């Protein structure tokens, strides 16, 4: 009797398994699967489009970042040039104030050779024409003429 119950149970299990495998091919499952897949496909397309737009925005942002860095570099160079010019201007102003506050008393007996030597000396020290003219109290044209004679 126990064997009979065992074989009946085995037959029922095999029948249930066979019925379950046939149930997968029902049209309801296919329709349900199609309904579930359709929104997923739409969402995947939307996600793909979103990814493309984000990549496009990132590339535009990268280009703008490069332009920004170029402009910042250019502005730094201009700022350095302006600071250099301001330093030159401050030096010229301080020299002019020194001359105005303490005028150089030149003796009338100063010969042309001494003046030429002073111009040459100041030029050799690295002063420019305007500085030499201000320090010696002579015109820029005269300084340029004296320096031209040296050559």
């Amino acid at each position: 009797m126990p064997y009979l119950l065992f074989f009946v149970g085995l037959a029922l299990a095999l029948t249930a398994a066979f019925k379950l495998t046939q149930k997968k091919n029902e049209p309801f499952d296919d329709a349900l699967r199609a309904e579930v897949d359709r929104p997923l496909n739409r969402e995947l397309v939307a996600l793909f489009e979103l990814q493309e737009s984000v990549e496009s925005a990132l590339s535009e942002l990268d280009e703008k970042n490069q332009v920004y860095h170029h402009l910042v570099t250019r502005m730094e160079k201009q700022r350095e040039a302006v600071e250099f010019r301001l330093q030159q201007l401050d030096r010229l102003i301080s020299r002019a104030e020194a001359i105005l506050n303490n005028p150089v008393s030149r003796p009338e007996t100063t010969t042309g050779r001494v003046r030429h030597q002073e111009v040459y000396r100041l030029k050799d020290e690295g002063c420019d024409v305007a500085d030499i003219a201000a320090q010696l109290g002579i015109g820029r044209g005269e300084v340029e003429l004296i320096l031209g004679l040296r050559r």
Side-chain angles (χ1 to χ4, degrees), residues 27-80:
F28 176 74
D29 281 344
D30 293 338
L32 181 62
R33 199 169 277 123
E35 285 297 319
V36 168
D37 287 346
R38 191 175 314 137
L40 287 177
N41 286 338
R42 280 188 237 141
E43 289 174 358
L44 287 175
V45 169
L47 284 175
F48 181 72
E49 290 172 353
L50 182 62
Q51 181 183 4
E52 286 179 344
S53 66
V54 166
E55 288 173 355
S56 172
L58 284 175
S59 67
E60 286 180 31
L61 186 61
D62 188 43
E63 290 174 13
K64 289 180 181 180
N65 194 19
Q66 289 175 354
V67 169
Y68 169 75
H69 284 296
H70 173 72
L71 291 175
V72 166
T73 304
R74 224 170 103 195
M75 205 153 109
E76 279 294 318
K77 289 179 183 178
Q78 288 177 349
R79 184 188 59 79
E80 290 172 1

Side-chain angles (χ1 to χ4, degrees), residues 15-25:
T15 306
F18 179 71
K19 288 286 186 180
L20 285 175
T21 57
Q22 285 185 350
K23 195 167 191 164
K24 287 185 179 177
N25 294 332

Side-chain angles (χ1 to χ4, degrees), residues 65-136:
N65 194 19
Q66 289 175 354
V67 169
Y68 169 75
H69 284 296
H70 173 72
L71 291 175
V72 166
T73 304
R74 224 170 103 195
M75 205 153 109
E76 279 294 318
K77 289 179 183 178
Q78 288 177 349
R79 184 188 59 79
E80 290 172 1
V82 167
E83 284 181 3
F84 179 73
R85 297 275 184 174
L86 285 173
Q87 289 173 354
Q88 286 180 333
L89 187 60
D90 285 340
R91 279 185 275 157
L92 289 175
I93 289 173
S94 64
R95 288 179 186 163
E97 287 175 346
I99 289 172
L100 289 175
N101 294 335
N102 187 12
V104 177
S105 58
R106 288 184 300 175
E108 293 297 324
T109 60
T110 303
T111 64
R113 283 192 184 261
V114 173
R115 179 176 289 165
H116 288 203
Q117 289 174 352
E118 289 176 6
V119 169
Y120 297 151
R121 181 184 56 81
L122 289 173
K123 183 64 177 174
D124 291 340
E125 289 176 3
C127 296
D128 62 353
V129 173
D131 292 338
I132 296 171
Q135 285 184 11
L136 298 179

